[in-house]
Amino acid sequence: MRELDVDVLVLGGGAAGSLAAVAAVRAGKRVVLVRRGDGATMLSSGAVDVAEHHVDGALGLTRHARQPGLPVREAAQQVAERSRWHPYARVRGTVPAIPEALTMLAEVARGAELWTRPDGENMVLASTVGTVKRTAMAQSTMVHGDLADAHADEAVLVVHVPHVTLGDGKHVAGGLRWYTAQGGEGRGALRVEDVVVPGITTPDDGLRSPRELARRLQNDEVREALARSLVEAVARAGRVRVVLLPPFFGLGGHAEWVRGLEARVGVPVAELLSAPPSVPGERLQRALDEGVAREGATVLEGVAAPAVLTEGVVSHVDVVPHAGEVPYRVRAPQVVLCTGKYLGGGIRREGHFAEPMLGLPVFIDGTHVTGGWVGGYVGELPEDDQPFMRAGVLTDGTLQPLKEDGRTVAIPGVRAAGNVLAGYDAARMGTGLGVAAVTGMLAGRWAAEG
Ligand SMILES: Cc1cc2nc3c(=O)[nH]c(=O)nc-3n(C[C@H](O)[C@H](O)[C@H](O)COP(=O)(O)OP(=O)(O)OC[C@H]3O[C@@H](n4cnc5c(N)ncnc54)[C@H](O)[C@@H]3O)c2cc1C
């Protein structure tokens, strides 16, 4: 067993863990981050949702598809006022810290080139399922797809790659025509057309994962065929707002290629937001991995065993490295739990709810549910309320997990951040990576203060 003594141990390497580790390193602390693999961050669309404005708290399309709604920070404030268990409401200083957290996220994940709108509004970006989403930050390859300011007389061209179902251009174009016609307010539907790019795929490509496809299509021949089809389509289409690409035309060096393509076809080009499995999500996760190492945290790729507690505090955590090397025993006076929810492994729902690393109580909103039957918290229909998606660790205002009573700090020296937190549904509330970034940054900073 190798021994490591550091100031801060971060469990989990998604967006929350990455920012917690970097915040603690920047505060001058020695930091170890342990990650056993990829979680929800890897599956995300490639965009960072902080908050969108929900009219009367309703979900879904409650106004014109192209209206960005409230500026991001005001929308987050609205979430805090309307959802008392949401981390924006419960955790001290989260909403004012959002701009700083987004800046830190962009710095750490600089390889993913994350951009926001300069006016603080959400972007309105199209997805591979033909819907639109309001989001605060997106990869540079996506931001030119912002439809918030699009005019009805401009064409949106959607690339259709035969045989491939993810981001099927004909389906996406149909969806966008429908969505942009909803809500009225004097704005017409957008002119959306598909552009078929023949000859670059075969029926076998329909069976490939987006990642394999991205690797296969990242070559000069394919890119030349795509560019030629687009030059012709743009010449035919009249005034073009943007060309939308399915997000599988390459894994690396992608931003430079998209900029080159824009120069060649003479109009903006943007990737669609991806459904999982997501090539842009993978780009974000890999950019975070690089950033954490670059900033100076020690990264252990391996599985952290449940923490060992002595006299009510964490004594150590053993880590079994993937590479089959000798395990590590990590000791740190401060631990930040960023293990995610069901996908990351931070919360278990095998019949009953449990938090496996520290044995912390699990809450749904403010109700203690550890050991409770999961089925009792699952809505029958997808559109029903799904309380199990809000299960997690309940904390005080400085992200210290609480005991079953919901008031007393459970384990001194422990903070929690990101998807492992109770009180919000990352997907439905449109605050997924925003919460991970801001709570991760604050948890790392507070852990560094001790
Ligand atoms: C399909 C999907 C699409 C989404 N799309 C978006 C989107 O477009 N925009 C958005 O803002 N949000 C989106 N979200 C939500 C968002 O991805 C999450 O809220 C966010 O990524 C959570 O980050 P996290 O760091 O808390 O957790 P995760 O990214 O899940 O990271 C958890 C980490 O903990 C590690 N871990 C857990 N247990 C152990 C252990 N025992 N030992 C070592 N390591 C461990 C995992 O390996 C992983 O590194 C999406 C979520 C999903 C599932």
Side-chain angles (χ1 to χ4, degrees), residues 232-436:
E232 281 169 26
V234 166
R236 279 195 311 268
R239 212 168 139 202
V240 173
R241 169 79 192 186
V242 65
V243 173
L244 296 176
L245 292 176
F248 50 65
F249 275 103
L251 276 168
H254 197 67
E256 206 180 316
W257 169 67
V258 170
R259 283 193 278 269
L261 187 61
E262 285 182 324
R264 172 101 180 259
V265 299
V267 299
V269 174
E271 288 181 295
L272 294 164
L273 299 183
S274 186
S278 164
V279 169
E282 178 170 354
R283 270 188 230 135
L284 173 62
Q285 181 64 63
R286 295 290 84 86
L288 285 166
D289 298 347
E290 282 168 24
V292 168
R294 186 179 62 239
E295 294 262 351
T298 300
V299 177
L300 301 183
E301 303 275 359
V303 180
V308 175
L309 272 67
T310 309
E311 294 176 8
V313 296
V314 176
S315 141
H316 60 267
V317 173
D318 290 339
V319 179
V320 180
H322 294 321
E325 306 151 5
V326 180
Y328 288 90
R329 175 154 295 176
V330 187
R331 287 197 178 81
Q334 297 290 323
V335 175
V336 188
L337 184 72
C338 302
T339 43
K341 208 182 293 291
Y342 307 122
L343 286 166
I347 301 295
R348 293 268 166 78
R349 51 165 180 167
E350 286 123 23
H352 298 87
F353 294 104
E355 187 289 303
M357 273 307 304
L358 293 152
L360 291 165
V362 177
F363 287 78
I364 290 180
D365 304 331
T367 304
H368 176 228
V369 296
T370 309
W373 183 56
V374 175
Y377 299 92
V378 179
E380 211 170 298
L381 300 171
E383 60 269 32
D384 290 346
D385 185 29
Q386 301 294 346
F388 80 102
M389 289 302 290
R390 302 193 298 276
V393 168
L394 187 68
T395 71
D396 69 2
T398 62
L399 291 165
Q400 299 186 90
L402 299 173
K403 289 185 176 168
E404 290 80 351
D405 64 9
R407 283 189 301 278
T408 322
V409 169
I411 308 173
V414 172
R415 317 249 170 196
N419 232 349
V420 75
L421 296 174
Y424 78 112
D425 177 334
R428 282 197 177 201
M429 296 175 109
T431 59
L433 284 160
V435 168

Side-chain angles (χ1 to χ4, degrees), residues 12-16 36-37 39-41 44-45 47 49 133 276 304 338-339 343-344 418-419 433:
R36 71 172 175 200
T41 304
S44 63
S45 69
D49 305 341
K133 172 157 114 150
C338 302
T339 43
L343 286 166
N419 232 349
L433 284 160

Side-chain angles (χ1 to χ4, degrees), residues 53-183:
H53 161 62
H54 292 298
V55 176
D56 296 329
L59 293 164
L61 199 66
T62 50
R63 61 187 173 282
H64 194 280
R66 278 180 284 136
Q67 277 183 312
L70 288 177
V72 174
R73 214 179 124 179
E74 284 172 45
Q77 186 57 42
Q78 193 186 63
V79 170
E81 284 159 15
R82 291 181 175 182
S83 314
R84 63 185 282 238
W85 300 109
H86 193 286
Y88 291 164
R90 281 197 66 81
V91 183
R92 199 186 299 159
T94 40
V95 175
I98 284 169
E100 191 188 355
L102 293 183
T103 301
M104 185 186 265
L105 182 63
E107 286 168 3
V108 178
R110 71 181 183 211
E113 295 194 9
L114 294 170
W115 293 2
T116 52
R117 272 178 71 117
D119 59 6
E121 301 271 352
N122 273 313
M123 289 173 256
V124 177
L125 297 181
S127 76
T128 48
V129 287
T131 56
V132 295
K133 172 157 114 150
R134 292 164 191 86
T135 191
M137 198 178 213
Q139 300 181 11
S140 66
T141 50
M142 299 172 154
V143 294
H144 290 162
D146 186 2
L147 299 176
D149 312 312
H151 297 288
D153 60 344
E154 298 172 315
V156 173
L157 303 183
V158 187
V159 168
H160 177 81
V161 179
H163 312 298
V164 180
T165 48
L166 178 73
D168 176 313
K170 290 179 185 290
H171 170 71
V172 172
L176 287 180
R177 274 194 292 272
W178 185 85
Y179 268 97
T180 60
Q182 306 304 303

